[in-house]
Amino acid sequence: VGLDCIFSKLSRLVVIAKDSYCMMRPGCGHFIFLAVIALCPMPTLTTRMINQDAVVESEGRDRFFDVTFLANANKGLVKCCCDSHSSKSAGDKLTSSKDRTGRCKVYKGTNNCPSQEASWAKGRTLRSYEHAGGRCTIAESEVHQVYQDLGSPWDYCPAVQSEYFSIAASRLGGHNNIACALGYSPQHETTTCKFASPQMGTFDPTPQCTRNEEWCPQQYPTTDYQDEPEYHATPIKPEVETGATLYYEDEPFLRATSRGQEVSYECAPGFAPQDSTVKCGNDHTFFPVPRCVLQQQPDHCAAIHGGFYGASVDAAAWGEW
């Protein structure tokens, strides 16, 4: 705008100088140059980018945010109109831009800037951003609504990768599943990308995974065999949430535990664990497979002599008659 003004004023001053024979007087050229500078105030640098971000700070004015990428992506659907000088306006070339705020507004459903000016423009006509510097900078307070109307950047909520969980990047309003590391479980299955600032959103609820202490679930016999003839005893194991738990042949009892933990297990009377410990694996099962094997103890049931009326019973192995 400053160069356009200088050239315009210069041509007018040259005519004036010729008429007054200025060109024949010493120092006249300096006079013309100083007059042009006086008539054409150079534009003031009132904006700056912060860390190459899209935030624009105007001296003594509101903070703006650059949404040019949305204006470009939605041409024909929206119009970004700015309180800035237009390169296509002859009137703007003859006036100063120092009172212009540089603030823009995004209008939906139109290809033209509306005739009704925004209140903050104080009567000045808004210009299309394409002819007013090429940038669409709106007030930060309006960014949330623009994101809701036109969509936010695809990574508005950036991806998160930690030792215990990961979550993919998301647009504003997106719902993402929380992926936990093996052995951990999410406190919430999903989280939502919500508005926090023009630059970046935040996931809510905060993704969090904790160690799953029941990664390998509790195992205990569940079949009621009391009426089945092949079993000869009903051993009982208390301390279970559902009440008494029966132990059966080759059916072990293991408490729930977390991934990677080694645990011992118990068997019904007359049986013993095949392995001293088993480990909780990635697939939520114990390995090696916990098994109970029959103990070959011929005197598992001790002999009884001198019972009632002289009765006696020889020692016997588990399950033996």
Side-chain angles (χ1 to χ4, degrees), residues 2 24 40 47 78 96 138 148 160 168 172 206 245 250 304:
M24 299 180 62
C40 299
T47 61
V78 300
S96 172
I138 65 175
Q148 289 181 322
V160 180
L172 177 66
T206 301
T245 298
D250 77 5
I304 299 177

Side-chain angles (χ1 to χ4, degrees), residues 5-54:
C5 180
I6 289 174
F7 291 139
S8 175
K9 295 295 190 296
L10 181 60
S11 61
R12 295 170 59 189
L13 285 172
V14 167
V15 174
I16 296 173
K18 286 182 178 179
D19 292 342
S20 60
Y21 301 101
C22 177
M23 298 296 292
M24 299 180 62
R25 298 179 183 177
C28 183
H30 297 288
F31 166 76
I32 292 176
F33 177 76
L34 293 175
V36 170
I37 297 299
L39 290 172
C40 299
M42 297 300 290
T44 304
L45 297 179
T46 58
T47 61
R48 63 183 176 90
M49 299 302 295
I50 301 177
N51 297 327
Q52 297 181 345
D53 213 342

Side-chain angles (χ1 to χ4, degrees), residues 192-216:
T192 302
C193 177
K194 294 190 174 181
F195 187 85
S197 72
Q199 298 90 339
M200 183 186 301
T202 183
F203 286 110
D204 184 44
T206 301
Q208 187 172 359
C209 294
T210 56
R211 178 177 288 277
N212 188 344
E213 298 298 336
E214 296 184 352
W215 183 260
C216 287

Side-chain angles (χ1 to χ4, degrees), residues 177-188:
N177 292 325
I178 301 171
C180 294
L182 284 174
Y184 290 77
S185 297
Q187 289 191 346
H188 304 276

Side-chain angles (χ1 to χ4, degrees), residues 265-278:
Y265 60 98
E266 302 174 52
C267 296
F271 295 83
Q274 181 172 281
D275 301 283
S276 58
T277 61
V278 290

Side-chain angles (χ1 to χ4, degrees), residues 76-98:
L77 301 176
V78 300
K79 190 67 174 179
C80 179
C81 304
C82 307
D83 182 24
S84 301
H85 269 22
S86 171
S87 59
K88 296 185 67 175
S89 172
D92 284 353
K93 294 179 180 180
L94 299 177
T95 59
S96 172
S97 63
K98 66 178 182 179

Side-chain angles (χ1 to χ4, degrees), residues 54 65-67 69-70 143 146-148 150-158 169-174 193 195 197-201:
F65 188 78
D66 194 335
V67 293
F69 69 101
L70 288 177
V143 174
V146 169
Y147 279 173
Q148 289 181 322
L150 305 181
S152 69
W154 67 271
D155 58 349
Y156 175 63
C157 283
S170 176
R171 297 181 183 276
L172 177 66
C193 177
F195 187 85
S197 72
Q199 298 90 339
M200 183 186 301

